Amino acid sequence: KFIYLPDPYVPLRYTRTELSIREYYNIGNDKVLFSHFGALNYNKGSVELLKSLEKLPHEVRQKSHFFIAGKVDVEIAEEFYSIFNRIKTDISITLIDEFCSYDFIGNLCKESKAIVMPYKRTSQSSSVIGYASQFGVPVIAPHHGLLGSLVREYELGLTIQDLSPKS
């Protein structure tokens, strides 16, 4: 027996501070800002995201900045940091390895062009799509499962069939 169960969602505030995320982290306005936030772990595709950044063409790297925020899970930490340390000199990227407040996430969403969520577990929703929707920021998400279905049904962004780093 199934009943309707809403996704856990905490409305975020955008609190304009003296310095915006771009100003505070020295991210030029000429850069397209992509974000990936929350618990950084295997199921969130955080390692695959970093691997995909390695494969970006030079002209895309020049125009983009990637902001990754959240606590890196101990199970992926070694591989995650190995890749991050390898790419950080060639890619405009910021990593905040700590729990992030809701206000910080709200400010990050407000300034992002898209939220990247290459989740492996697609049979459930994510509060990230609620935050993206609140701020009118599109997501880049898997095509499959409940997650992909929600993104397509509510026109929340782009879905990708194959989430391999090459794709």
Side-chain angles (χ1 to χ4, degrees):
K1 183 176 183 181
F2 294 92
I3 60 172
Y4 174 73
L5 178 65
D7 193 36
Y9 168 71
V10 177
L12 300 179
R13 295 179 306 168
Y14 170 64
T15 53
R16 176 71 173 136
T17 56
E18 285 185 32
L19 291 177
S20 71
I21 295 271
R22 284 182 177 274
E23 292 167 329
Y24 188 82
Y25 292 98
N26 198 26
I27 303 166
N29 288 327
D30 60 328
K31 301 278 189 181
V32 177
L33 181 59
F34 295 93
S35 61
H36 174 72
F37 58 83
L40 304 177
N41 60 39
Y42 174 79
N43 288 322
K44 300 285 180 81
S46 302
V47 169
E48 283 71 19
L49 174 61
L50 290 180
K51 289 178 180 178
S52 72
L53 298 181
E54 282 186 297
K55 298 181 180 307
L56 284 177
H58 179 72
E59 60 274 6
V60 175
R61 290 179 184 198
Q62 295 296 99
K63 298 176 185 176
S64 307
H65 185 89
F66 299 90
F67 203 110
I68 301 174
K71 189 71 183 138
V72 177
D73 189 288
V74 67
E75 291 181 4
I76 68 164
E78 185 177 334
E79 183 178 16
F80 182 93
Y81 272 102
S82 173
I83 299 167
F84 178 78
N85 289 328
R86 190 169 60 235
I87 67 172
K88 70 182 181 182
T89 57
D90 295 328
I91 294 175
S92 182
I93 190 169
T94 300
L95 172 62
I96 305 298
D97 182 359
E98 62 188 44
F99 175 81
C100 299
S101 71
Y102 287 120
D103 286 348
F104 180 85
I105 297 295
N107 289 342
L108 182 57
C109 287
K110 183 73 176 169
E111 295 194 40
S112 294
K113 187 69 167 180
I115 299 169
V116 184
M117 41 187 309
Y119 292 10
K120 293 175 184 248
R121 187 180 297 150
T122 60
S123 61
Q124 61 194 43
S125 183
S126 169
S127 55
V128 171
I129 63 174
Y131 303 147
S133 179
Q134 178 184 341
F135 290 98
V137 179
V139 297
I140 301 170
H143 183 78
H144 305 289
L146 175 63
L147 187 58
S149 179
L150 290 170
V151 171
R152 290 189 313 278
E153 181 177 347
Y154 295 103
E155 300 177 355
L156 299 174
L158 171 71
T159 60
I160 298 175
Q161 288 281 350
D162 173 19
L163 289 175
S164 68
K166 183 178 178 184
S167 296

